[in-house]
Amino acid sequence: MTQVMAQPASQSSTQAVSVITIDGPVSSGKGTIARRVAVALGWHLLDSGALYRLLGLHARNLGVSLEDSDALVPLARDLPARFIEQRGDLLIELAGVDVSDFLRTEEVGELASRVAVHQPVRDALMARQQSFAQPPGLVADGRDMGTVVFTRAPLKIYLTASPEERARRRYNQLKEKGFDANLAALVEDIRNRDERDMNRDVAPLKPADDALVIDSTPLTIDDVLDRILGEARKRTLV
Ligand code: DC
């Protein structure tokens, strides 16, 4: 069985490597789908949100202001992070500490969203993100993978779903984990985050001109996966 591969050590040319970008709004399921596509193809996976989360956490640990773009840039260039593939899961270390679970918390998401608004910080993370493009291919998950980071990707997906459907999925996830959740509040939160993400000055969330937009509202994860793998085959990427 093929497994998701962690970032390789080498940082060679990204030119000839096939990249599938998967962008979309919060709770669109792009993280799950990107992982499934990467596993199905045996390609590398870039979770670009994790880099912003790592940077936010690293800055906070060092007492660096999340508003101080000049101080954040060197941290972004030399982020002491490692992505380690373990039994099909990705272990993420920051300065030698396993932060895989903590990184996914709302608390760290908040730090990430504050560092992500600085253009120089985004520029500083660019080379790191592009270094994930290694043979046999890369699936890149984020907000600006198709519009900014991998503009020449041969297959760009913009995955979305209605705010109500995304809230419902998030609600079910939270309930499954035993957390309290309020559906109306989740819909409201998702609408607010869409508004912020799509209207921010820096790298606003939008589909690339050549993106294939998939509205997953009526679809299952397997439907979406089949659609993307079908497109990859049609474009002879696999
Ligand atoms: O996808 P996520 O929740 O892990 O992203 C964390 C934060 O980073 C979120 O505020 C959006 C931001 N982000 C970004 O600006 N650009 C990306 N390519 C990925 C994430």
Side-chain angles (χ1 to χ4, degrees):
M1 197 181 97
T2 49
Q3 293 195 327
V4 172
M5 289 179 271
Q7 182 191 23
S10 140
Q11 305 220 341
S12 65
S13 160
T14 62
Q15 293 306 305
V17 179
S18 288
V19 177
I20 298 175
T21 59
I22 304 184
D23 291 303
V26 64
S27 295
S28 58
K30 62 195 162 56
T32 305
I33 293 291
R35 175 167 289 271
R36 293 277 304 269
V37 173
V39 169
L41 299 179
W43 287 10
H44 299 286
L45 176 69
L46 165 62
D47 171 1
S48 60
L51 287 175
Y52 288 94
R53 287 171 182 264
L54 281 162
L55 178 60
L57 183 57
H58 190 43
R60 196 192 64 179
N61 289 348
L62 296 179
V64 169
S65 162
L66 304 176
E67 274 59 63
D68 187 346
S69 171
D70 289 346
L72 290 170
V73 164
L75 301 190
R77 283 211 193 98
D78 293 315
L79 206 51
R82 288 208 309 151
F83 296 80
I84 306 153
E85 193 268 318
Q86 260 190 359
R87 296 183 292 277
D89 257 342
L90 207 53
L91 181 87
I92 305 180
E93 278 184 6
L94 177 62
V97 177
D98 178 359
V99 292
S100 319
D101 291 334
F102 184 46
L103 219 50
R104 308 303 332 158
T105 60
E106 288 296 321
E107 181 186 345
V108 178
E110 172 67 24
L111 304 176
S113 71
R114 288 167 62 191
V115 298
V117 299
H118 305 292
Q119 186 62 54
V121 166
R122 304 191 71 87
D123 294 343
L125 284 178
M126 180 84 102
R128 180 85 182 236
Q129 294 176 79
Q130 290 175 336
S131 76
F132 280 72
Q134 299 287 335
L138 173 70
V139 181
D141 153 19
R143 303 290 197 287
D144 60 346
M145 298 295 96
T147 49
V148 177
V149 181
F150 298 105
T151 51
R152 293 166 60 194
L155 177 54
K156 298 177 182 175
I157 305 293
Y158 186 84
L159 187 63
T160 187
S162 69
E164 291 75 16
E165 175 62 17
R166 285 184 276 141
R168 199 184 56 76
R169 291 175 189 168
R170 182 104 186 92
Y171 177 86
N172 289 340
Q173 273 173 359
L174 289 169
K175 284 284 178 190
E176 269 167 32
K177 288 183 188 158
F179 292 115
D180 233 8
N182 176 310
L183 190 56
L186 287 171
V187 174
E188 178 69 14
D189 183 47
I190 280 181
R191 285 190 194 282
N192 289 338
R193 286 176 75 166
D194 281 357
E195 173 72 21
R196 270 212 307 273
D197 285 351
M198 291 171 189
N199 296 307
R200 68 184 184 192
D201 292 338
V202 172
L205 174 67
K206 59 173 184 200
D209 291 339
D210 51 350
L212 175 71
V213 177
I214 300 180
D215 180 350
S216 76
T217 306
L219 304 176
T220 65
I221 290 175
D222 284 337
D223 292 336
V224 177
L225 186 67
D226 286 350
R227 178 90 198 276
I228 295 175
L229 293 177
E231 281 297 325
R233 278 192 291 273
K234 221 192 284 174
R235 296 170 198 219
T236 62
L237 299 180
V238 290

